[in-house]
């Protein structure tokens, strides 16, 4: 008998190379991704939160980092993932999905980076705050 393996969730970072905030997010996401794939033993000098707090452990995910802006369809999905009051954190000056798409069409520069998107779990975040990023990624396991 064989098992079907669940494909890895895909997490995308829309990155801006010259941005210190975006560079911080790259580092955080790479650390979270590495920690999700490693199982530390008790004698290792590392973070043991996956063993001591199994509900907080993030499942493995595929990390995609791109400097390209999203497509219009991707942007619409991203804007639908965030609450209405956070749309302006994704697209400058926008307060609705329609307005965000319009402003993005006018100029791709209206898209603010860094933006992290967890496509499989319907979450998006425009932040470089480690606590917010970790909270978003940990919510995947169903806890708040």
């Amino acid at each position: 008998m064989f098992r079907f393996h669940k494909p890895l969730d895909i997490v995308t970072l829309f990155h801006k190379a010259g941005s210190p905030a975006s560079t911080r997010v790259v580092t955080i996401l790479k650390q979270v991704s590495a920690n999700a794939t490693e199982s530390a033993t008790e004698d290792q000098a590392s973070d043991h939160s996956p063993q001591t707090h199994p509900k907080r452990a993030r499942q493995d995910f595929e990390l995609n980092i791109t400097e390209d802006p999203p497509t219009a369809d991707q942007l619409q999905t991203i804007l639908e993932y965030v609450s209405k009051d956070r749309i302006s954190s994704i697209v400058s000056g926008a307060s609705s999905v329609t307005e965000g798409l319009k402003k993005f069409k006018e100029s791709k520069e209206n898209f603010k980076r860094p933006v992290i998107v967890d496509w499989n779990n319907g979450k998006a975040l425009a932040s470089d705050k480690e606590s917010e990023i970790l909270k978003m990624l940990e919510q995947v396991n169903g806890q708040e």
Side-chain angles (χ1 to χ4, degrees), residues 95-139:
S95 60
S96 68
V97 172
T98 306
E99 192 176 12
L101 291 169
K102 181 180 176 212
K103 291 195 175 286
F104 180 71
K105 192 174 183 179
E106 290 170 4
S107 172
K108 304 269 190 264
E109 294 303 310
N110 285 327
F111 179 73
K112 295 182 181 179
R113 298 175 212 203
V115 173
I116 307 150
V117 185
D118 184 341
W119 301 104
N120 297 75
N121 297 292
K123 298 190 180 296
L125 178 67
S127 175
D128 67 333
K129 293 186 176 86
E130 185 172 8
S131 61
E132 289 181 9
I133 295 167
L134 294 175
K135 182 179 177 189
M136 180 188 101
L137 293 174
E138 289 171 356
Q139 286 178 350

Side-chain angles (χ1 to χ4, degrees), residues 4-133:
F4 290 103
H5 292 280
K6 179 184 180 272
L8 295 178
D9 290 349
I10 297 173
V11 175
T12 300
L13 169 63
F14 291 96
H15 174 58
K16 185 170 187 172
S19 162
S22 195
T23 303
R24 257 191 316 277
V25 174
V26 167
T27 303
I28 293 166
L29 289 174
K30 284 183 176 180
Q31 287 172 344
V32 172
S33 178
N35 288 341
T37 58
E38 290 180 2
S39 309
T41 60
E42 287 301 320
D43 62 341
Q44 288 176 315
S46 63
D47 180 7
H48 296 288
S49 58
Q51 285 115 354
T52 56
H53 303 290
K55 287 191 173 218
R56 292 187 64 210
R58 166 66 192 202
Q59 299 300 314
D60 290 353
F61 61 92
E62 180 180 329
L63 177 60
N64 293 326
I65 299 173
T66 181
E67 291 184 32
D68 296 329
T71 64
D73 286 343
Q74 286 175 321
L75 180 62
Q76 180 168 351
T77 300
I78 292 167
L79 294 177
E80 289 169 355
Y81 287 168
V82 298
S83 58
K84 188 170 171 47
D85 63 321
R86 303 219 44 175
I87 288 176
S88 64
S89 71
I90 307 285
V91 179
S92 296
S95 60
S96 68
V97 172
T98 306
E99 192 176 12
L101 291 169
K102 181 180 176 212
K103 291 195 175 286
F104 180 71
K105 192 174 183 179
E106 290 170 4
S107 172
K108 304 269 190 264
E109 294 303 310
N110 285 327
F111 179 73
K112 295 182 181 179
R113 298 175 212 203
V115 173
I116 307 150
V117 185
D118 184 341
W119 301 104
N120 297 75
N121 297 292
K123 298 190 180 296
L125 178 67
S127 175
D128 67 333
K129 293 186 176 86
E130 185 172 8
S131 61
E132 289 181 9
I133 295 167

